[in-house]
């Protein structure tokens, strides 16, 4: 029996890791929450839908004889990351969080960090009237009371109420180029941008475009990782954790790699 790795997915990195594991002959299952109706193709097996909390995930790990767990969910998917840490602790299954690094402002950026979507909504009326909101279609309720502002919302699937009354939807899936983002900001006369600190290349162009146009950006900070959970920044790090690629030497590197699969 080949070793079995469960990836908690929903990100580009999860897709790349599934391909990398399948190519190495590892049995890989990617778990998706089921929020997107037509997710792209994935290597290996795919299961869809919640597990029923940390206990449900722990039961699944045992039943499916999972040898290692990689939480490659989005940096803002806080509940499933907490559940994964608890399930790994309860079962003893080795687990790692694959979390891409966050973004950092440059000297010409006008960033306003906030802790949450409601805090972003509180701040917005002081910064602009025409908002490009890129925090995901499921978080629009936090802005629904801002009846005087005009919003452009970009998402893969159409948003549902509650949402602000003056909302225009742009249906699109990244990656986006800086030219795409300049065009969108100009077309809708945007004067403020709201984003989560998702990190990664696929959606970073909007930050460059906002900087070029001198626009303020409200940046929602990431929730912290569960205490004690090992984390790696990329697919190579996840493979190294699993013992499938050499760990790159760095300050404090401990040397050998424990083989989990
Ligand atoms: P969340 O709030 O952390 O999770 C809510 C519940 O959804 C979890 O308790 C779990 O249900 C289920 N769930 C979440 N991710 C799952 C997965 N990969 N496989 C199986 N069940 C999962 O999650 P979220 O923020 O709604 O994100 C849902 C998915 O969308 C994640 O897979 C994430 O990677 C992806 N995503 C999220 C964002 C974002 O901004 N939050 C952006 C892009 C992609 P049970 O307790 O029943 O197991």
């Amino acid at each position: 029996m080949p070793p079995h790795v469960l990836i908690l997915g929903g990100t580009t990195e999860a897709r790349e890791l599934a391909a990398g594991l399948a190519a190495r002959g590892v049995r890989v299952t990617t778990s998706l929450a089921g929020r997107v109706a037509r997710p792209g193709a994935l290597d290996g097996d795919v299961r869809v839908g919640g597990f029923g909390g940390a206990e449900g995930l722990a039961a699944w790990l045992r039943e499916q004889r999972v040898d290692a767990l990689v939480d490659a969910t989005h940096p803002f998917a806080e509940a499933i990351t907490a559940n994964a840490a608890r399930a790994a602790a309860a079962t003893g299954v080795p687990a790692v969080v694959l979390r891409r690094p966050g973004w950092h402002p440059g000297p010409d950026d006008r960033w306003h960090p906030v802790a949450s979507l409601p805090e972003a909504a509180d701040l917005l009326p002081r910064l602009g009237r025409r908002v490009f909101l890129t925090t995901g279609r499921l978080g629009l309720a936090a802005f629904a009371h801002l009846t005087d502002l005009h919003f452009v919302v970009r998402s893969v699937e159409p948003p549902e109420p509650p949402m602000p009354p003056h909302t225009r939807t742009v249906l699109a899936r990244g990656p986006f180029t800086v030219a795409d983002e300049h065009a969108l900001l100009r077309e809708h006369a945007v004067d403020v941008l709201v984003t989560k600190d998702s990190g990664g290349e696929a959606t970073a162009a909007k930050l460059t475009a906002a900087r070029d146009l001198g626009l303020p950006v409200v940046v929602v900070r990431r929730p912290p990782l569960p205490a004690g959970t090992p984390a790696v920044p990329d697919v190579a790090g996840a493979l190294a954790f699993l013992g499938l690629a050499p760990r790159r030497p760095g300050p404090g590197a401990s040397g050998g790699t424990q083989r989990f699969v």
Side-chain angles (χ1 to χ4, degrees):
M1 270 291 261
H4 187 193
V5 174
L6 174 65
I7 301 174
L8 302 174
T11 58
T12 307
E13 290 85 351
R15 181 181 305 281
E16 290 172 3
L17 181 62
L21 290 175
R24 287 166 168 82
V26 174
R27 180 180 164 212
V28 56
T29 302
T30 299
S31 175
L32 301 174
R35 307 274 193 274
V36 178
R38 283 181 293 127
L42 279 160
D43 288 301
D45 295 333
V46 178
R47 67 160 301 286
V48 180
F51 293 93
E55 294 73 20
L57 176 53
W60 202 94
L61 294 174
R62 289 193 190 99
E63 282 160 16
Q64 301 296 321
R65 299 182 182 282
V66 171
D67 296 295
L69 168 64
V70 181
D71 172 7
T73 56
H74 190 271
F76 283 81
E78 202 172 357
I80 187 71
T81 291
N83 289 350
R86 284 176 50 206
T91 56
V93 171
V96 67
V97 180
L98 196 180
R99 184 112 325 158
R100 66 177 86 119
W103 291 316
H104 296 284
D108 297 328
D109 284 310
R110 297 173 57 201
W111 285 16
H112 299 262
V114 294
S116 64
L117 294 178
E119 209 177 290
D122 285 348
L123 185 62
L124 264 183
R126 278 178 269 154
L127 295 176
R129 314 300 299 167
R130 301 185 63 84
V131 185
F132 182 27
L133 188 59
T134 65
T135 47
R137 71 192 159 101
L138 300 177
L140 297 185
F143 302 89
H145 61 289
L146 296 174
T147 53
D148 292 342
L149 304 191
H150 290 257
F151 288 84
V152 179
V153 169
R154 183 168 64 195
S155 62
V156 175
E157 297 193 356
E160 289 168 15
M163 66 174 99
H166 304 297
T167 297
R168 293 180 70 177
T169 304
V170 177
L171 292 181
R173 190 193 292 264
F176 304 101
T177 66
V178 176
D180 293 336
E181 304 298 39
H182 274 153
L184 185 146
L185 294 174
R186 288 217 168 87
E187 181 188 342
H188 296 280
V190 168
D191 57 14
V192 59
L193 170 71
V194 185
T195 181
K196 293 175 180 170
D197 179 15
S198 299
E201 293 294 317
T203 58
K206 63 191 171 194
L207 300 171
T208 307
R211 182 189 313 134
D212 293 344
L213 299 177
L215 301 185
V217 182
V218 180
V219 181
V220 183
R221 282 193 293 263
R222 295 170 169 208
L225 287 173
T229 309
V232 293
D234 52 23
V235 171
L239 290 170
F241 177 87
L242 297 168
L244 292 169
R247 194 185 290 272
R248 284 168 297 198
S254 58
T257 300
Q258 190 172 350
R259 193 173 171 91
F260 291 126
V261 298

